[in-house]
Amino acid sequence: MLMNDLSIIVRHSNAFLIRKLQKYGVGCAEHVVLTFLAKNNGVNQESIAQFYKLDKGAVAKTLGKLEEKGYIIRKVNEENQREKIITLSESGKEIITEMEQLLKEFNAAIFEGMSVEEIKTVEKLVGTISKNVLNHLKDGDDVND
């Protein structure tokens, strides 16, 4: 079953990263936000919540933890005083480098024995599935609606 297999991959990759990032005090939710900011530095809280389909309050709590640890900086948007722009701090950028190396290590293990072509096929198929899920769950809709 696809969902069971994907769940195993996600659970074990999270456990791997949490174990390896323990020295930085970074949990699973914090890792997810840092990963998003690595690719989308200088965004607002709502962008993160929308991308992952998460509650804004949960994202705010995670951002608070990251700010306390010195991994992000939140500044008031000069164009919209009610909004804060989130960027990675220098410490945040350093941990991203560590996370990228750990993900390379994990990917090498999970793709062991696969050709480059097979890996690209898996990534393309999973990417398509991810896009399909997002398209079918827009605006909080359920697949069964």
Side-chain angles (χ1 to χ4, degrees), residues 90-140:
E90 287 305 313
S91 297
K93 290 174 185 173
E94 289 172 15
I95 197 171
I96 291 298
T97 302
E98 175 82 11
M99 287 169 44
E100 287 172 347
Q101 185 58 42
L102 291 171
L103 286 173
K104 283 180 187 176
E105 180 183 327
F106 188 77
N107 284 342
I110 66 171
F111 290 127
E112 186 176 340
M114 296 175 75
S115 69
V116 172
E117 185 177 299
E118 289 170 323
I119 293 168
K120 287 180 181 179
T121 300
V122 169
E123 289 174 340
K124 182 179 178 186
L125 292 171
V126 171
T128 300
I129 292 168
S130 177
K131 287 177 188 172
N132 288 343
V133 167
L134 292 174
N135 287 337
H136 288 286
L137 296 177
K138 283 185 179 175
D139 300 322

Side-chain angles (χ1 to χ4, degrees), residues 16-82:
F16 171 82
L17 286 170
I18 288 168
R19 188 173 59 250
K20 295 288 187 172
L21 295 172
Q22 191 172 26
K23 63 185 172 187
Y24 298 105
V26 173
C28 187
E30 295 163 327
H31 163 261
V32 168
V33 171
L34 287 170
T35 300
F36 182 83
L37 290 172
K39 295 178 180 156
N40 305 282
N41 205 19
V43 297
N44 62 20
Q45 172 183 319
E46 189 172 330
S47 298
I48 299 167
Q50 284 179 343
F51 182 81
Y52 289 113
K53 305 290 188 211
L54 297 172
D55 176 72
K56 290 179 195 175
V59 173
K61 186 175 177 180
T62 300
L63 290 172
K65 289 178 185 179
L66 288 170
E67 189 172 32
E68 283 177 21
K69 294 172 185 175
Y71 296 133
I72 65 163
I73 300 166
R74 292 194 275 189
K75 291 185 180 177
V76 174
N77 183 350
E78 293 177 13
E79 296 173 14
N80 179 356
Q81 298 292 316
R82 297 183 309 158

